Amino acid sequence: MYNKEIIKKYLIDLLQIPSPTGYTSKISNYIIKELEDMDIKHKVSNKGIIVASIEGNDNTYSTTFSAHIDTLGAIVKEIKSTGRLGINQIGGYMMNSIEGENCIIHTRDKKSYEGTVQTIKPSIHIHGNEAKDLPRDCKNYEIIIDEEVFSKEDVKNIGIEVGDIISFDTRVKITNSEFIKSRYLDDKASVAAMLYVMKFITLNNIKPNHNINFLFSNYEEVGHGSSTFIPKDTKNFIAVDMGCPGDGQNSTEFDVCICTKDSNGPYDYEFIDYLIKICKANNINYKLDIYPNYGSDATAALKSGLDAKFALIGPGVFASHGYERTHIKSIIETTKLIISYINN
Ligand SMILES: [Zn+2]
């Protein structure tokens, strides 16, 4: 019934498009093209939020699902006299998670250059214990540009400037056992799930029982993703974003994870009851969990004044904001919950 090859295709496409927060127009264009191909009504806000809408049998209210298309990344802070780049982080992550990673510097005149993230003491043969003991702070990292540049002037001459966006290699790998390893499964695994749900609805001529919106936000990693442009008739808001499997957690990489509380407090109790009921009735594998250091687009929406029941569901992503991993099963269970909800 569910075509996981389509989900994988969407996911691989999405993971290969660099989209650090503030640099999301390419991935927006990809989403818009898919919506046009599926002939789904959609609109784009001034700040770049995309909302796709499907009319239901009852058109007096809607449920809005949201996922974010932006990811972590970095920005050029300084061009050093050595021809290397000092950086500043976009979003919250541990610097050691990008140490040694390949990257691309995107210039304002649409050129791109390759580089590597290194510490300022990158060689054990030169720096010995100082290399090991160096605090893993942002200021101790730099980008080595893969061009013959040895001074600030050389770097400026090839068109790199302070404020240029840096994206990191996602290293997408799907194993034979169908684990998916990549950076930024948060939240592209959910974006792939939402695109697939729309494909499924279209292919099967499904008319939802009430109006459904799919919102793609582009500033989630910095806290103001779904803070605006939510359709006015939204009675229910469901953020589709990663669950957190790991030590002491109940989430897994195989189930749809339903969050009951995150850093901003509990999610809607009765609405979670309702989602559990749908999971049970449709044999959907789910896990309830609590995320101690987490904020979602659902709370961004509520803090900006939305009055709606709200929930957070999504695939379990291990080692979040690092080199992440999930399993295709987790994405499939997430799509099953969304489709069952729409049909319910
Ligand atoms: Zn996320």
Side-chain angles (χ1 to χ4, degrees):
M1 180 181 172
Y2 295 97
N3 187 331
K4 61 185 176 188
E5 296 312 315
I6 299 180
I7 299 177
K8 285 184 197 167
K9 163 85 170 62
Y10 274 139
L11 188 52
I12 291 168
D13 283 355
L14 292 162
L15 290 167
Q16 284 170 343
I17 303 171
S19 61
T21 312
Y23 191 74
T24 49
S25 63
K26 278 194 193 116
I27 199 160
S28 292
N29 291 341
Y30 176 87
I31 306 267
I32 290 166
K33 183 171 181 308
E34 286 305 313
L35 297 174
E36 280 167 359
D37 288 352
M38 290 188 272
D39 205 16
I40 292 175
K41 205 173 73 184
H42 57 279
K43 49 189 185 172
V44 184
S45 83
N46 294 325
K47 89 166 184 183
I49 292 172
I50 303 167
V51 174
S53 301
I54 299 170
E55 197 176 294
N57 292 318
D58 178 349
N59 66 2
T60 60
Y61 73 100
S62 71
T63 292
T64 298
F65 290 90
S66 82
H68 63 93
I69 56 175
D70 61 314
T71 72
L72 308 171
I75 194 159
V76 177
K77 176 189 170 290
E78 176 193 0
I79 302 170
K80 298 184 178 180
S81 58
T82 52
R84 300 176 194 147
L85 304 172
I87 60 172
N88 188 257
Q89 293 177 261
I90 295 175
Y93 53 91
M94 295 177 291
M95 287 303 295
N96 58 292
S97 72
I98 54 162
E99 194 168 316
E101 189 58 277
N102 290 312
C103 65
I104 297 171
I105 305 127
H106 305 267
T107 73
R108 288 199 179 264
D109 53 3
K110 309 269 186 280
K111 283 189 272 190
S112 52
Y113 293 101
E114 292 183 73
T116 317
V117 185
Q118 298 284 11
T119 72
I120 54 172
K121 295 185 191 294
S123 171
I124 199 80
H125 300 99
I126 300 170
H127 308 288
N129 279 341
E130 280 182 35
K132 289 187 205 162
D133 298 341
L134 188 73
R136 265 45 186 174
D137 300 335
C138 192
K139 65 176 177 11
N140 290 332
Y141 285 82
E142 57 189 11
I143 306 289
I144 314 300
I145 308 166
D146 296 323
E147 295 291 331
E148 295 185 31
V149 288
F150 308 101
S151 68
K152 193 170 184 167
E153 188 136 81
D154 288 348
V155 175
K156 288 197 157 230
N157 282 342
I158 61 170
I160 292 176
E161 194 36 282
V162 169
D164 284 350
I165 296 283
I166 298 163
S167 63
F168 303 116
D169 194 343
T170 48
R171 284 191 285 134
V172 186
K173 185 170 174 56
I174 301 185
T175 67
N176 292 335
S177 49
E178 295 192 298
F179 280 97
I180 302 154
K181 303 195 285 182
S182 176
R183 294 184 185 281
Y184 315 138
L185 292 170
D186 168 19
D187 188 24
K188 291 182 173 175
S190 308
V191 175
M194 290 209 324
L195 285 174
Y196 178 69
V197 168
M198 283 187 271
K199 183 83 136 188
F200 186 88
I201 291 174
T202 314
L203 291 175
N204 296 284
N205 279 317
I206 292 169
K207 181 140 194 190
N209 84 332
H210 62 277
N211 294 345
I212 300 291
N213 308 300
F214 294 98
L215 184 152
F216 298 89
S217 72
N218 59 340
Y219 280 90
E220 194 275 348
E221 290 293 1
V222 295
H224 62 88
S226 298
S227 57
T228 185
F229 212 57
I230 298 159
K232 293 260 176 306
D233 64 346
T234 298
K235 238 167 73 171
N236 309 307
F237 187 97
I238 303 179
V240 189
D241 207 337
M242 46 156 259
C244 305
D247 288 351
Q249 293 295 112
N250 199 38
S251 299
T252 78
E253 293 161 85
F254 310 100
D255 303 292
V256 55
C257 306
I258 302 174
C259 179
T260 58
K261 178 185 179 290
D262 69 13
S263 305
N264 294 305
Y267 284 78
D268 188 285
Y269 192 89
E270 281 75 26
F271 199 30
I272 294 171
D273 273 351
Y274 181 66
L275 296 175
I276 293 170
K277 207 174 88 188
I278 292 174
C279 287
K280 286 184 174 161
N282 295 280
N283 297 315
I284 296 164
N285 300 319
Y286 71 97
K287 287 282 186 313
L288 298 171
D289 209 353
I290 288 158
Y291 309 142
N293 299 293
Y294 193 114
S296 78
D297 256 350
T299 37
L302 269 96
K303 283 179 178 175
S304 63
L306 176 73
D307 177 36
K309 292 203 172 292
F310 60 108
L312 166 61
I313 65 169
V317 171
F318 186 75
S320 52
H321 286 196
Y323 185 52
E324 301 167 340
R325 189 182 83 158
T326 191
H327 194 279
I328 190 73
K329 286 180 182 170
S330 204
I331 305 176
I332 290 172
E333 295 307 301
T334 303
T335 61
K336 279 162 71 178
L337 176 51
I338 301 172
I339 290 167
S340 302
Y341 177 95
I342 288 169
N343 277 329
N344 211 49

